[in-house]
Amino acid sequence: MRIIDLSHEIASGAAAYPGLPSPVIDTYLDWEGSHGTYAVGTEFRIGRITLVGNTGTYLDTPAHRYRDGFDLSGLPLEAVVELPGVLVRTADRAISLGAFDGVDVRGRAVLVHTGWCRHWETERYGADDHPYLTAEAADCLAERGAALVGIDSVNVDDTSTVSAGHRPVHSTLLAAGIPIVEHLCQLDRLTAAPFTFTAVPVKVNGLGTFPVRAYARQGAS
């Protein structure tokens, strides 16, 4: 069995979604400060992190797009744990219906491998010519019962000026209750063998997005 980490590391000052603040990681209680509470030779450190939900590899729930959508606290674990996965590899910028021809997506985590993660933490990564799904592709995935959709690009939607701020892929998938995972990486390490996909965020009431530790489990258990 292989466990393949598909998530980016989060570090202080590292990448969040382009235009959003980077995370800040510091110390709330340091080793020396804990000495007054614990016995001699026993010490603890308590860390602190400040970040926006769209940091690193993260998951969108319907509450990210819709006021009445369920948030992280309402996300069922079965929606993000050990989902049977299917990998779609493409070199297209606009990933249309054809990329999913003959692909069984029902009940599966559909992971789209574009290779765009090679630009991670560069100005190129957030450029408007990144790969994205078309509105028709999103309609198809929702109608055919995909359980989750992930991509190794900056956004599942077109963010260029041509899109004029429209986000049809987010709108369609999240309206159907289909979680979205963006900023995946290392999808090139997946082979043709069957795999499962897991991407669990923390259970926070009132947040619609949050970083995940996304991974695939491939091979015999």
Side-chain angles (χ1 to χ4, degrees):
M1 180 183 69
R2 302 167 65 224
I3 301 294
I4 304 167
D5 193 345
L6 304 177
S7 43
H8 291 286
E9 178 183 286
I10 293 176
S12 198
Y17 187 83
L20 296 179
S22 296
V24 176
I25 302 171
D26 58 12
T27 299
Y28 172 75
L29 178 69
D30 63 16
W31 302 111
E32 288 73 21
S34 74
H35 291 172
T37 301
Y38 303 101
V40 175
T42 302
E43 59 183 10
F44 292 92
R45 176 183 178 272
I46 299 176
R48 174 173 53 192
I49 183 168
T50 302
L51 52 71
V52 295
N54 296 43
T55 299
T57 303
Y58 59 83
L59 179 140
D60 296 339
T61 64
H64 178 49
R65 171 66 178 81
Y66 297 104
R67 297 188 184 194
D68 60 351
F70 66 79
D71 62 11
L72 296 170
S73 67
L75 177 68
L77 280 176
E78 56 267 26
V80 291
V81 173
E82 290 290 315
L83 295 173
V86 60
L87 184 67
V88 175
R89 301 189 194 274
T90 177
D92 296 335
R93 175 173 178 258
I95 303 161
S96 61
L97 289 170
F100 305 97
D101 284 349
V103 179
D104 180 11
V105 303
R106 184 165 299 279
R108 296 175 180 270
V110 182
L111 307 185
V112 182
H113 176 212
T114 70
W116 197 253
C117 67
R118 67 186 181 277
H119 301 302
W120 179 250
E121 294 195 316
T122 71
E123 290 186 7
R124 185 83 176 97
Y125 187 75
D128 282 347
D129 61 344
H130 65 81
Y132 65 92
L133 300 183
T134 64
E136 293 75 18
D139 289 339
C140 169
L141 290 171
E143 291 168 4
R144 289 165 56 185
L148 178 149
V149 175
I151 194 168
D152 61 350
S153 179
V154 66
N155 203 305
V156 290
D157 269 299
D158 181 10
T159 62
S160 69
T161 53
V162 173
S163 74
H166 296 292
R167 297 292 185 267
V169 180
H170 277 85
S171 298
T172 295
L173 297 180
L174 295 178
I178 301 171
I180 299 168
V181 179
E182 293 169 309
H183 310 277
L184 289 166
C185 63
Q186 299 200 109
L187 291 177
D188 57 305
R189 294 187 58 197
L190 286 169
T191 68
F195 69 91
T196 61
F197 178 75
T198 296
V200 182
V202 293
K203 190 176 182 179
V204 182
N205 186 286
L207 284 185
T209 66
F210 207 77
V212 292
R213 188 68 180 264
Y215 66 89
R217 182 171 64 86
Q218 190 166 51
S221 59

